[in-house]
Amino acid sequence: MKEALASEAIEAIEIRLLLEALYSRYHYDFRNYAMASIKRRLKQARDQLGFASFSALQESLLHDAAVLPRLLGYLTVQVSEMFRDPTYFRAIREKVVPHLRTYPSLKVWIAGCSGGEELYSLVILFREEGLEDRTLFYATDINQEALRSAEAGVFAMERVPLFTENHRQSGGKSSLSDYYHAAYGRVSFDKSLRRNVVFSDHSLVTDAVFAEMQLISCRNVLIYFDRTFQDRALGLFKDSLARKGFLGLGAKESLRFSEHAGAFTDFVREDKIYQRRGE
């Protein structure tokens, strides 16, 4: 028992030093992420990348920059689907879009865009609602590989039936197949969907605001942050939103206990869509 506790204590020290090294060397800050989740992912990285210990992984990370993107692949969650939680997208279509129509131009920020599933969902929704041409979309993530995947817009064919059903349930006004070409077991979404998209490396933990957004969608990212980082990210969203702009969070996320809760009102409570106060 004592040996097990000692081993856990040593691992905790190693993880802390590894995260400090990652921040000091490359400026990626995972130090205040939810520790249980980070520890689980670091163990996967250590084992699957073939390191005997977290210290060995740290040494390699410090001296070989090629280790960084491989490690980030484990530390950043790349699990999503198009029109995930269809009621969220239906609420945007039916309740948020009528407000967005009043603006001559729009800015939409998809924070933590992962492989691009949510980005393409919103671009397609905006096209179906006649808002795409007046909208600039910002798709950001800290994972460069994820950004490259998002920009490519290529997905496995076996994922398409779920995407299609989600799109239908979200109130889609066309067939999802209108937006992609299929070949060799994969689908490639039309390049025209990216004509108004800016892809950018951006950290919710360390980077600055995007100004005057009418809609920010950041779903299933904050659940991996501790309270400090959650408040930092939510403050970033608050400062990036135009007055009466909208913020969408994931199904398990909330503003309720944030220090920035007072800056927002519930807009569609059941789908975690909030509106920035006008004052």
Side-chain angles (χ1 to χ4, degrees):
M1 178 66 73
K2 289 183 179 179
E3 290 182 0
L5 291 175
S7 178
E8 287 186 10
I10 291 171
E11 280 196 346
I13 294 170
E14 288 184 306
I15 288 173
R16 186 173 72 250
L17 293 175
L18 173 58
L19 296 179
E20 286 289 347
L22 179 60
Y23 177 67
S24 298
R25 176 74 171 84
Y26 300 104
H27 308 294
Y28 286 98
D29 195 348
F30 290 88
R31 295 172 298 175
N32 289 95
Y33 276 53
M35 186 48 62
S37 176
I38 283 293
K39 184 176 181 180
R40 182 174 63 254
R41 293 185 223 165
L42 284 175
K43 282 185 174 180
Q44 290 176 344
R46 178 197 64 191
D47 296 343
Q48 295 180 20
L49 296 178
F51 293 99
S53 66
F54 294 120
S55 294
L57 174 55
Q58 175 190 322
E59 181 179 6
S60 183
L61 179 70
L62 287 173
H63 296 285
D64 183 0
V67 175
L68 175 64
R70 299 173 70 191
L71 180 59
L72 288 178
Y74 291 93
L75 293 181
T76 56
V77 179
Q78 306 300 326
V79 179
S80 188
E81 61 195 47
M82 289 190 68
F83 296 94
R84 182 180 184 178
D85 302 321
T87 60
Y88 171 81
F89 290 94
R90 182 178 285 274
I92 289 178
R93 188 186 299 273
E94 296 178 352
K95 299 179 181 180
V96 175
V97 162
H99 292 265
L100 299 182
R101 290 191 194 282
T102 65
Y103 292 89
S105 63
L106 295 164
K107 291 182 180 179
V108 174
W109 179 12
I110 300 92
C113 70
S114 188
E117 293 90 340
E118 185 162 338
L119 165 67
Y120 290 104
S121 301
L122 284 170
V123 175
I124 288 170
L125 189 155
F126 274 53
R127 179 174 292 187
E128 292 176 340
E129 297 299 328
L131 294 178
E132 181 194 10
D133 288 342
R134 71 173 91 165
T135 304
L136 185 60
F137 300 88
Y138 293 85
T140 68
D141 204 281
I142 65 170
N143 187 323
Q144 292 284 350
E145 186 60 37
L147 286 171
R148 283 191 286 270
S149 295
E151 192 163 6
V154 177
F155 302 97
M157 179 72 78
E158 59 262 25
R159 304 183 68 194
V160 173
L162 176 60
F163 293 175
T164 301
E165 178 59 19
N166 286 350
H167 174 244
R168 185 190 66 78
Q169 291 185 22
S170 75
K173 295 182 177 179
S174 58
S175 171
L176 190 65
S177 62
D178 293 341
Y179 304 105
Y180 64 77
H181 306 282
Y184 305 108
R186 304 181 73 79
V187 297
S188 177
F189 277 81
D190 195 276
K191 291 182 180 179
S192 69
L193 294 170
R194 299 187 285 279
R195 64 190 173 196
N196 293 341
V197 180
V198 176
F199 294 92
S200 178
D201 182 349
H202 183 276
S203 170
L204 296 175
V205 173
T206 58
D207 290 335
V209 301
F210 285 85
E212 293 298 300
M213 297 288 158
Q214 279 72 44
L215 171 64
I216 297 174
S217 188
C218 181
R219 307 181 66 235
N220 307 304
V221 175
L222 299 185
I223 55 174
Y224 298 104
F225 291 176
D226 71 1
R227 181 63 58 80
T228 299
F229 277 7
Q230 287 179 3
D231 280 338
R232 203 277 180 184
L234 290 169
L236 197 66
F237 297 152
K238 178 193 71 175
D239 293 338
S240 297
L241 279 171
R243 291 193 312 160
K244 296 192 175 182
F246 298 93
L247 171 64
L249 299 180
K252 296 181 180 179
E253 298 167 333
S254 175
L255 288 175
R256 181 176 300 173
F257 302 109
S258 168
E259 64 183 53
H260 302 291
F264 295 87
T265 59
D266 289 328
F267 188 75
V268 186
R269 182 190 299 269
E270 60 273 21
D271 288 301
K272 303 300 177 69
I273 298 175
Y274 305 88
Q275 187 173 32
R276 178 82 159 85
R277 292 186 183 273
E279 63 271 13

